[in-house]
Coordinates of all heavy atoms in Angstrom, one line a residue:
A1 N -0.1 10.4 -12.9 CA 1.3 10.5 -12.8 C 1.9 9.3 -12.1 O 1.3 8.7 -11.3 CB 1.6 11.8 -12.1
V2 N 3.2 9.0 -12.5 CA 3.9 7.9 -11.9 C 5.3 8.3 -11.5 O 5.9 9.1 -12.3 CB 3.9 6.7 -12.9 CG1 4.7 5.5 -12.3 CG2 2.6 6.2 -13.3
I3 N 5.8 7.8 -10.4 CA 7.2 7.9 -10.1 C 7.7 6.6 -9.7 O 7.1 5.9 -8.8 CB 7.4 9.0 -9.0 CG1 8.9 9.2 -8.8 CG2 6.7 8.7 -7.7 CD1 9.2 10.5 -8.0
T4 N 8.8 6.1 -10.3 CA 9.3 4.8 -10.1 C 10.3 4.8 -8.9 O 10.6 5.9 -8.3 CB 10.1 4.3 -11.3 OG1 11.3 5.0 -11.5 CG2 9.2 4.4 -12.5
T5 N 10.8 3.6 -8.6 CA 11.7 3.5 -7.5 C 13.1 4.2 -7.7 O 13.8 4.5 -6.8 CB 12.0 2.1 -7.1 OG1 12.5 1.4 -8.3 CG2 10.7 1.4 -6.6
I6 N 13.4 4.5 -9.0 CA 14.6 5.2 -9.3 C 14.4 6.7 -9.7 O 15.2 7.3 -10.2 CB 15.4 4.5 -10.4 CG1 14.6 4.4 -11.7 CG2 15.8 3.1 -9.9 CD1 15.4 3.9 -12.9
G7 N 13.1 7.1 -9.5 CA 12.8 8.5 -9.7 C 12.3 8.9 -11.1 O 12.1 10.1 -11.3
T8 N 12.1 8.0 -11.9 CA 11.6 8.3 -13.3 C 10.1 8.7 -13.2 O 9.4 8.0 -12.4 CB 11.7 7.1 -14.2 OG1 13.1 6.7 -14.3 CG2 11.2 7.4 -15.6
T9 N 9.7 9.7 -13.8 CA 8.3 10.1 -13.8 C 7.7 10.1 -15.1 O 8.3 10.2 -16.2 CB 8.3 11.6 -13.2 OG1 9.0 12.5 -14.1 CG2 8.8 11.7 -11.8
N10 N 6.4 9.9 -15.1 CA 5.6 9.9 -16.3 C 4.2 10.5 -16.0 O 3.7 10.4 -14.9 CB 5.3 8.4 -16.9 CG 6.6 7.9 -17.5 OD1 7.0 8.2 -18.5 ND2 7.2 6.9 -16.7
Y11 N 3.7 11.2 -17.0 CA 2.4 11.9 -16.8 C 1.4 11.7 -17.9 O 1.8 11.4 -19.1 CB 2.7 13.4 -16.7 CG 3.6 13.8 -15.6 CD1 5.0 13.9 -15.8 CD2 3.1 14.2 -14.4 CE1 5.9 14.3 -14.8 CE2 4.0 14.5 -13.3 CZ 5.4 14.6 -13.6 OH 6.2 14.9 -12.5
A12 N 0.2 11.8 -17.6 CA -0.9 11.8 -18.6 C -0.7 13.0 -19.5 O -0.3 14.1 -19.0 CB -2.2 11.8 -18.0
E13 N -1.0 12.9 -20.8 CA -0.8 14.0 -21.7 C -1.5 15.2 -21.2 O -1.1 16.4 -21.4 CB -1.3 13.6 -23.1 CG -0.9 14.6 -24.2 CD 0.5 14.8 -24.4 OE1 1.3 13.8 -24.2 OE2 0.9 15.9 -24.8
S14 N -2.7 15.1 -20.6 CA -3.6 16.2 -20.3 C -3.0 17.0 -19.1 O -3.4 18.2 -18.9 CB -4.9 15.7 -19.9 OG -4.9 14.8 -18.8
V15 N -2.0 16.5 -18.4 CA -1.5 17.2 -17.2 C 0.0 17.6 -17.4 O 0.6 18.2 -16.5 CB -1.7 16.5 -15.9 CG1 -3.1 16.0 -15.7 CG2 -0.7 15.2 -15.9
K16 N 0.6 17.2 -18.5 CA 2.0 17.5 -18.7 C 2.3 19.0 -18.7 O 1.5 19.8 -19.3 CB 2.5 16.9 -20.1 CG 2.7 15.4 -20.1 CD 3.2 14.9 -21.4 CE 3.4 13.4 -21.4 NZ 3.9 12.9 -22.7
G17 N 3.3 19.4 -18.0 CA 3.7 20.8 -17.8 C 2.9 21.5 -16.7 O 3.3 22.6 -16.4
R18 N 1.9 20.9 -16.2 CA 1.1 21.5 -15.1 C 1.2 20.7 -13.8 O 1.2 21.4 -12.7 CB -0.4 21.5 -15.5 CG -0.6 22.3 -16.8 CD -2.1 22.5 -17.0 NE -2.8 21.3 -17.2 CZ -3.8 20.8 -16.4 NH1 -4.2 21.5 -15.4 NH2 -4.4 19.6 -16.6
F19 N 1.4 19.4 -13.8 CA 1.4 18.6 -12.6 C 2.8 18.1 -12.4 O 3.5 17.8 -13.4 CB 0.5 17.4 -12.7 CG -1.0 17.8 -12.6 CD1 -1.4 19.1 -12.7 CD2 -1.9 16.8 -12.4 CE1 -2.8 19.4 -12.6 CE2 -3.3 17.1 -12.3 CZ -3.7 18.4 -12.4
T20 N 3.3 17.9 -11.1 CA 4.5 17.3 -10.8 C 4.4 16.3 -9.7 O 3.9 16.7 -8.6 CB 5.6 18.4 -10.4 OG1 5.7 19.4 -11.5 CG2 6.9 17.8 -10.1
I21 N 4.8 15.1 -9.9 CA 4.8 14.1 -8.9 C 6.2 14.0 -8.2 O 7.2 14.1 -9.0 CB 4.4 12.7 -9.4 CG1 4.2 11.7 -8.2 CG2 5.3 12.2 -10.5 CD1 3.6 10.4 -8.7
S22 N 6.3 13.9 -6.9 CA 7.5 13.8 -6.2 C 7.4 12.8 -5.1 O 6.3 12.5 -4.6 CB 8.0 15.2 -5.8 OG 7.1 15.7 -4.9
R23 N 8.6 12.4 -4.6 CA 8.6 11.4 -3.5 C 9.7 11.9 -2.5 O 10.8 12.3 -2.8 CB 9.0 10.1 -4.0 CG 9.1 9.0 -2.9 CD 9.8 7.7 -3.3 NE 9.4 7.1 -4.6 CZ 8.9 5.9 -4.7 NH1 8.8 5.1 -3.6 NH2 8.6 5.4 -5.9
D24 N 9.3 11.9 -1.2 CA 10.2 12.2 -0.1 C 10.4 10.9 0.7 O 9.6 10.5 1.4 CB 9.6 13.3 0.8 CG 10.6 13.8 1.9 OD1 11.4 13.0 2.3 OD2 10.5 14.9 2.3
V25 N 11.6 10.3 0.4 CA 11.8 9.0 1.0 C 11.9 9.0 2.5 O 11.4 8.2 3.2 CB 13.1 8.4 0.4 CG1 13.5 7.1 1.1 CG2 12.9 8.2 -1.1
A26 N 12.6 10.1 3.0 CA 12.8 10.2 4.4 C 11.5 10.3 5.2 O 11.4 9.8 6.3 CB 13.7 11.4 4.7
R27 N 10.5 11.0 4.6 CA 9.2 11.2 5.3 C 8.2 10.2 4.8 O 7.1 10.2 5.3 CB 8.7 12.6 5.0 CG 9.5 13.7 5.7 CD 9.0 15.0 5.4 NE 9.7 16.1 6.2 CZ 10.9 16.6 5.8 NH1 11.5 16.2 4.8 NH2 11.4 17.5 6.6
E28 N 8.6 9.3 3.8 CA 7.7 8.3 3.2 C 6.4 9.0 2.8 O 5.3 8.6 3.1 CB 7.4 7.2 4.2 CG 8.6 6.4 4.6 CD 8.3 5.2 5.5 OE1 7.4 5.2 6.3 OE2 9.0 4.2 5.3
M29 N 6.6 10.0 1.9 CA 5.5 10.8 1.4 C 5.6 10.9 -0.1 O 6.7 10.9 -0.7 CB 5.4 12.2 2.0 CG 5.2 12.2 3.5 SD 3.5 11.9 3.9 CE 2.7 13.3 3.3
V30 N 4.5 11.0 -0.8 CA 4.4 11.2 -2.2 C 3.5 12.4 -2.4 O 2.5 12.6 -1.7 CB 3.9 10.0 -3.0 CG1 3.8 10.3 -4.5 CG2 4.7 8.8 -2.8
Y31 N 3.9 13.3 -3.3 CA 3.1 14.5 -3.5 C 2.7 14.7 -5.0 O 3.3 14.1 -5.9 CB 4.0 15.8 -3.1 CG 4.5 15.7 -1.7 CD1 5.8 15.3 -1.5 CD2 3.6 16.1 -0.6 CE1 6.2 15.3 -0.2 CE2 4.1 16.0 0.7 CZ 5.4 15.6 0.9 OH 5.9 15.6 2.2
L32 N 1.7 15.4 -5.2 CA 1.3 15.8 -6.5 C 1.0 17.3 -6.5 O 0.0 17.8 -6.0 CB 0.0 15.1 -7.0 CG -0.4 15.3 -8.5 CD1 0.6 14.8 -9.4 CD2 -1.8 14.7 -8.7
Q33 N 1.9 18.0 -7.1 CA 1.8 19.5 -7.2 C 1.0 19.8 -8.5 O 1.4 19.4 -9.6 CB 3.1 20.2 -7.2 CG 3.1 21.7 -7.4 CD 2.5 22.4 -6.2 OE1 2.8 22.1 -5.1 NE2 1.5 23.3 -6.4
M34 N -0.1 20.4 -8.3 CA -1.0 20.7 -9.4 C -1.1 22.2 -9.6 O -1.6 23.0 -8.8 CB -2.4 20.1 -9.2 CG -2.4 18.6 -8.9 SD -4.0 17.9 -8.7 CE -4.6 18.8 -7.2
N35 N -0.6 22.7 -10.8 CA -0.7 24.1 -11.1 C -1.5 24.3 -12.3 O -1.8 23.5 -13.1 CB 0.8 24.6 -11.4 CG 1.7 24.5 -10.2 OD1 1.3 24.7 -9.1 ND2 3.0 24.2 -10.5
N36 N -1.9 25.6 -12.5 CA -2.8 26.0 -13.6 C -4.0 25.0 -13.8 O -4.2 24.5 -14.8 CB -2.0 26.0 -14.9 CG -2.7 26.7 -16.1 OD1 -3.6 27.5 -15.8 ND2 -2.4 26.3 -17.2
L37 N -4.7 24.8 -12.7 CA -5.8 23.9 -12.7 C -6.9 24.3 -13.6 O -7.2 25.5 -13.7 CB -6.3 23.6 -11.3 CG -5.4 22.8 -10.4 CD1 -5.7 23.0 -8.9 CD2 -5.6 21.3 -10.8
K38 N -7.6 23.3 -14.2 CA -8.7 23.5 -15.1 C -9.9 22.7 -14.6 O -9.8 21.8 -13.9 CB -8.3 23.0 -16.5 CG -7.0 23.6 -17.1 CD -6.7 23.0 -18.4 CE -5.4 23.6 -19.0 NZ -5.1 23.0 -20.3
P39 N -11.1 23.2 -15.0 CA -12.3 22.5 -14.6 C -12.3 21.0 -14.9 O -12.8 20.2 -14.1 CB -13.4 23.2 -15.3 CG -12.9 24.6 -15.5 CD -11.4 24.4 -15.7
E40 N -11.7 20.6 -16.0 CA -11.6 19.2 -16.3 C -10.7 18.4 -15.4 O -10.6 17.1 -15.5 CB -11.2 19.0 -17.8 CG -9.9 19.8 -18.2 CD -10.2 21.1 -18.8 OE1 -11.1 21.9 -18.3 OE2 -9.6 21.5 -19.9
D41 N -10.0 19.0 -14.5 CA -9.2 18.3 -13.6 C -10.0 17.9 -12.4 O -9.5 17.1 -11.5 CB -8.0 19.2 -13.0 CG -7.0 19.5 -14.1 OD1 -6.6 18.6 -14.9 OD2 -6.5 20.7 -14.2
T42 N -11.2 18.3 -12.3 CA -12.1 18.0 -11.2 C -12.3 16.5 -11.2 O -12.7 15.9 -12.1 CB -13.5 18.7 -11.3 OG1 -13.3 20.1 -11.2 CG2 -14.4 18.2 -10.3

C-alpha cells in the first residue's frame, strides 16, 4: 500500500478492500489496518 503527500492511496490487488493505509500528520505516524486476514498475508 502507498499513501502520497496529498493523501492519494494505492493498494496491491491482493489486499484491495481488506487493507487501509492512513497517515496521522500531527503524530507523524503511518498505519496499515488489515482486516479479513488470510494465511497468504503472512
Side-chain angles (χ1 to χ4, degrees):
V2 179
I3 184 165
T4 71
T5 57
I6 60 173
T8 301
T9 58
N10 290 284
Y11 300 91
E13 187 67 29
S14 61
V15 307
K16 285 182 179 178
R18 300 188 298 119
F19 290 11
T20 303
I21 186 171
S22 61
R23 181 199 306 241
D24 187 329
V25 175
R27 294 178 172 82
E28 297 188 327
M29 297 286 291
V30 179
Y31 305 98
L32 184 67
Q33 179 65 46
M34 305 183 294
N35 298 325
N36 191 25
L37 284 161
K38 303 176 180 181
E40 50 263 46
D41 295 318
T42 295

